[in-house]
Amino acid sequence: MKYKNIYVMSLLFVVSLLQACAAPAINNNSLIIRNYFEEHFRSGILENPEQLSYLTLQKKYNAEAADAKLTDRSDAFAFKRLQKDKASLAQLKRFDRAHLSSADALSYDVLLNQLTMNVAGERFYYHDYVLNQMGGVHTELPNLLLNVHQIKSVLDAENYIARMGQFNVAFAQVLDSLKQRQQRGIAPPRFAVEKALDNIKQFIKPEPRQHDLFTQLQKGVNALQDADAATKVRLLAAGEQGMNASVYPSYRQLVAHLEAWLPEVKNNNGAWALPDGDAYYAHQLRENTSTDMTPEQIHQLGLSEVTRIHAEMRPLLDSLGYRGGSVAVDMNKMDKDPVSKYADNSDAAKKQVLADYTKIVDDINQRIAGSFDILPKAKLEVRAVPSYLEATSPGAYYDGPATDGSRPGIFFRNLFSLDDIQKFEMKTLTYHEAVPGHHFQVALAQELDLPMFRKFNGNNAYIEGWALYAERLASELGAYENDARGDIGRLYDELWRAKRLVVDTGIHHKRWTREQAIAYMADNLEPSLDTVIEIERYFVWPGQACGYKIGQLKILQLRDKARQALGDKFVIKDFHNVVLTNGSVPLTILEQLVDQYIAKKLAA
């Protein structure tokens, strides 16, 4: 699941509030603090035109002109935003939480956690890699134009062209930021630079007029009803000029820089090798798990979960005749069994894969009715990962819907190599990325009556924990009945998430090499493209992979706690309402919400 934190506070708003309030604490009138929450979100989103387009909030904030702009990627702008976060945190603390309504107090707690983490991360500002094999400006901007920016009018087309014309500015900002990191001895692993370089070269391989960015514009312009022939010619000529003067030169400049830098990037090390790397990794774990667990505690949790899941897989493998070796060896047999594979890598087969995923969505939608009484209104579609991202993208991910209904939630599946798609894992992946996983949580949050910042808040352990919980829930709802292969696939995917705890801490805490990490994750299985992509993802995104299992285990623990405390009063729909109808929250706050739910039910 891909999501960004975009919420920063307007310094002007903070100053005006400070001037208006002579007393040390701000009046706790609900209208005042809710206006504060709204301004917090509004000021941040207005500084992020790309996110405005993504969320389709331009009309709401009278910011249609943002569709012609790109988001500032400079270090100077990032530090300005950080100063606003500091001011916003100070302002938030001036409200007397003890006298807030329960709803406002919850919003207070969520924002306090978010801003505190942002400010605590200031010392590690330069530790992220800006650009790597997973993405960066070179993938973000094409994604914006190809998958978000719609061309339904002449103005839309002109805005599209205007954005193309700003690629050179955005790339220059990222190059400056990259150079700042180089000067501080902060470099991604060598493979990350090599693969990003290959990806960028491949991206600009077509001639400009044959490139997806131009053909997308061409298709949109040719379909316009409000443009005459001369206008269409003018727009396409301007688009071609943008490709030649801004887009291609920007990519070529980035290629030149990476090629010159590559000989200096010699190591494939984890976060420990960065300046103050251990402290940085500890911060990343706190941010991504919303716990204070140490790397060693997480490592040991992963090892124990691996052992437990192996024990559950063993009898299922035996029942299908995959026996005689370890779980890993017998999984290898199942993986290579032709019954687990698609016959070829043809376009027809790829269409069939997407159709099969859609059928799984339809089936689970029929099963979940008794477990949920609040469902998202937004539709869901299954689509292939764009071809220019296939080689380095994860196997699948989810993008949330547009708030105005113009774009559905999208479950993207990587079809780069169908040989790496195991049929027995397809159900589980669907439950995680789509229903009742990310789509239920993300789409529903956008539709709730919550402060705007909570509709789009992104707490990793909560979001990914819910999606992994959804896999288990689907099993409890009978989705794998008479489907031992699918149930093995579910357990195998849970095993994958358990191994992530071991591997992520292994890489960044125990100083494992890339090869050690791949070997452990494969664990006697033949390393696949997915395995390598995943391991390389953990190297450039420290701590993120740990949120899944820790979040899932917390949700399951809280459900067991509620069930035991409430007995006959426990209703699964009510529990899911508590988890889903408060937006994305840290695990500590989720536990408080469940405790309140238990107390209220007991008192009824």
Side-chain angles (χ1 to χ4, degrees):
M1 156 68 193
K2 301 190 300 181
Y3 232 59
K4 297 180 181 177
N5 281 327
I6 55 158
Y7 316 115
V8 292
M9 181 62 190
S10 166
L11 187 57
L12 178 60
F13 177 71
V14 172
V15 171
S16 66
L17 268 182
L18 288 171
Q19 291 173 341
C21 303
I26 297 174
N27 186 316
N28 281 335
N29 179 284
S30 288
L31 180 61
I32 293 177
I33 195 166
R34 289 175 188 176
N35 284 341
Y36 164 86
F37 292 143
E38 171 58 24
E39 181 59 22
H40 168 79
F41 179 83
R42 187 195 69 83
S43 62
I45 199 72
L46 288 177
E47 292 182 327
N48 196 329
E50 292 172 32
Q51 200 72 5
L52 264 172
S53 295
Y54 180 83
L55 298 177
T56 59
L57 292 173
Q58 308 95 313
K59 291 183 179 179
K60 177 179 175 63
Y61 291 110
N62 297 315
E64 287 87 345
D67 280 340
K69 300 175 183 178
L70 298 180
T71 300
D72 192 331
R73 286 170 165 79
S74 68
D75 288 340
F77 180 70
F79 282 120
K80 174 186 172 185
R81 289 167 58 138
L82 181 60
Q83 293 308 310
K84 289 181 178 180
D85 273 357
K86 290 180 178 179
S88 185
L89 180 59
Q91 184 69 4
L92 180 64
K93 290 180 177 179
R94 293 192 62 203
F95 289 96
D96 183 358
R97 185 194 180 283
H99 291 89
L100 295 174
S101 69
S102 59
D104 292 338
L106 177 56
S107 295
Y108 177 102
D109 291 342
V110 173
L111 185 55
L112 179 67
N113 177 274
Q114 177 186 305
L115 291 173
T116 300
M117 289 303 302
N118 289 352
V119 172
E122 178 181 14
R123 63 187 283 210
F124 305 116
Y125 170 77
Y126 287 110
H127 280 64
D128 70 325
Y129 295 133
V130 182
L131 180 150
N132 56 62
Q133 86 285 1
M134 294 285 296
V137 64
H138 61 295
T139 59
E140 291 165 358
L141 296 188
N143 182 65
L144 172 73
L145 292 183
L146 296 175
N147 295 318
V148 177
H149 191 117
Q150 300 185 44
I151 301 176
K152 296 183 177 180
S153 68
V154 170
L155 179 60
D156 291 339
E158 290 173 339
N159 289 340
Y160 186 103
I161 294 163
R163 280 177 156 166
M164 289 170 60
Q166 296 166 53
F167 271 49
N168 53 0
V169 175
F171 274 65
Q173 290 170 341
V174 170
L175 273 175
D176 287 343
S177 191
L178 184 59
K179 291 172 185 176
Q180 288 295 321
R181 285 158 175 77
Q182 290 173 232
Q183 292 172 13
R184 290 166 171 79
I186 294 174
R190 181 178 175 86
F191 66 75
V193 181
E194 291 173 334
K195 294 194 173 186
L197 189 54
D198 289 344
N199 182 277
I200 294 166
K201 288 180 177 178
Q202 187 66 29
F203 184 76
I204 56 174
K205 195 173 182 179
E207 291 298 316
R209 286 189 63 88
Q210 277 71 55
H211 198 282
D212 287 348
L213 286 173
F214 184 81
T215 59
Q216 176 96 336
L217 173 67
Q218 189 175 47
K219 179 181 177 181
V221 167
N222 287 338
L224 291 178
Q225 300 297 313
D226 63 340
D228 57 25
T231 300
K232 292 179 180 181
V233 169
R234 173 181 64 81
L235 290 171
L236 293 179
E240 186 173 6
Q241 171 68 11
M243 295 292 291
N244 289 318
S246 177
V247 176
Y248 270 63
S250 297
Y251 278 88
R252 289 175 181 140
Q253 185 179 16
L254 186 56
V255 166
H257 180 84
L258 294 180
E259 285 182 334
W261 185 35
L262 188 57
E264 302 174 18
V265 183
K266 299 178 180 179
N267 299 314
N268 288 328
N269 294 326
W272 61 266
L274 299 173
D276 208 10
D278 290 339
Y280 168 60
Y281 184 51
H283 170 78
Q284 288 296 102
L285 287 178
R286 284 192 298 274
E287 184 170 45
N288 283 289
T289 70
S290 63
T291 74
D292 290 323
M293 294 179 71
T294 67
E296 189 60 33
Q297 288 173 328
I298 292 173
H299 192 83
Q300 293 303 319
L301 175 62
L303 291 173
S304 66
E305 281 293 285
V306 167
T307 299
R308 177 187 65 79
I309 298 167
H310 274 169
E312 292 189 32
M313 293 177 72
R314 182 71 270 165
L316 287 170
L317 287 165
D318 289 346
S319 73
L320 293 175
Y322 300 110
R323 58 169 67 93
S326 66
V327 166
V329 168
D330 291 335
M331 275 299 302
N332 200 22
K333 297 174 186 175
M334 182 171 164
D335 178 67
K336 292 182 177 181
D337 191 326
V339 74
S340 300
K341 301 289 187 180
Y342 282 89
D344 56 52
N345 208 49
S346 65
D347 288 344
K350 291 181 178 181
K351 288 181 181 179
Q352 185 60 51
V353 171
L354 297 180
D356 290 345
Y357 275 113
T358 301
K359 289 179 182 177
I360 296 170
V361 171
D362 292 340
D363 175 76
I364 192 62
N365 271 326
Q366 298 300 314
R367 295 179 183 274
I368 51 86
S371 298
F372 297 88
D373 58 12
I374 300 177
L375 303 176
K377 298 175 183 176
K379 302 298 183 183
L380 174 81
E381 289 185 11
V382 182
R383 297 183 188 176
V385 169
S387 58
Y388 65 89
L389 293 176
E390 287 181 333
T392 55
S393 284
Y397 55 87
Y398 171 81
D399 269 356
T403 57
D404 65 357
S406 62
R407 187 185 68 251
I410 304 171
F411 166 26
F412 283 102
R413 184 61 170 104
N414 195 332
L415 304 182
F416 183 71
S417 172
L418 297 196
D419 193 52
D420 286 313
I421 294 180
Q422 293 85 15
K423 290 183 178 180
F424 57 82
E425 290 184 284
M426 292 177 69
K427 285 183 178 179
T428 302
L429 184 62
T430 304
Y431 306 146
H432 182 102
E433 299 293 345
V435 177
H438 285 320
H439 181 63
F440 269 31
Q441 187 272 309
V442 173
L444 182 59
Q446 293 184 11
E447 299 167 6
L448 295 172
D449 182 19
L450 295 173
M452 290 295 287
F453 83 92
R454 285 178 58 194
K455 290 175 180 281
F456 305 105
N457 192 34
N459 185 279
N460 180 58
Y462 170 90
I463 291 173
E464 299 299 352
W466 169 262
L468 190 52
Y469 168 82
E471 299 178 18
R472 174 80 67 89
L473 178 65
S475 175
E476 296 167 350
L477 296 176
Y480 300 101
E481 189 175 355
N482 300 318
D483 182 14
R485 289 179 183 276
D487 206 22
I488 291 172
R490 173 187 68 83
L491 288 166
Y492 184 63
D493 277 13
E494 187 176 10
L495 176 66
W496 190 275
R497 274 48 175 261
K499 285 187 174 184
R500 281 177 173 175
L501 300 181
V502 180
V503 171
D504 197 273
T505 52
I507 291 168
H508 300 293
H509 172 60
K510 293 181 176 293
R511 306 190 176 190
W512 286 7
T513 65
R514 172 180 174 274
E515 290 66 34
Q516 280 179 287
I518 290 173
Y520 177 82
M521 186 63 93
D523 191 15
N524 297 322
L525 288 169
E526 181 179 335
S528 67
L529 175 64
D530 277 351
T531 305
V532 174
I533 288 175
E534 285 291 310
I535 291 301
E536 292 179 345
R537 162 189 165 183
Y538 309 153
F539 269 90
V540 300
W541 206 353
Q544 191 273 341
C546 295
Y548 298 68
K549 202 73 183 69
I550 290 172
Q552 180 221 32
L553 290 174
K554 174 55 72 172
I555 294 172
L556 287 170
Q557 174 200 337
L558 293 175
R559 190 179 70 174
D560 289 343
K561 181 180 183 180
R563 182 177 278 129
Q564 291 172 13
L566 297 176
D568 293 342
K569 289 186 175 182
F570 178 82
V571 178
I572 191 68
K573 288 182 179 181
D574 294 343
F575 176 78
H576 289 156
N577 285 346
V578 174
V579 177
L580 288 178
T581 61
N582 291 288
S584 173
V585 297
L587 298 182
T588 50
I589 293 178
L590 181 62
E591 184 161 16
Q592 293 170 12
L593 290 169
V594 172
D595 287 343
Q596 292 167 11
Y597 151 71
I598 292 171
K600 184 176 180 180
K601 291 283 284 188
L602 288 174

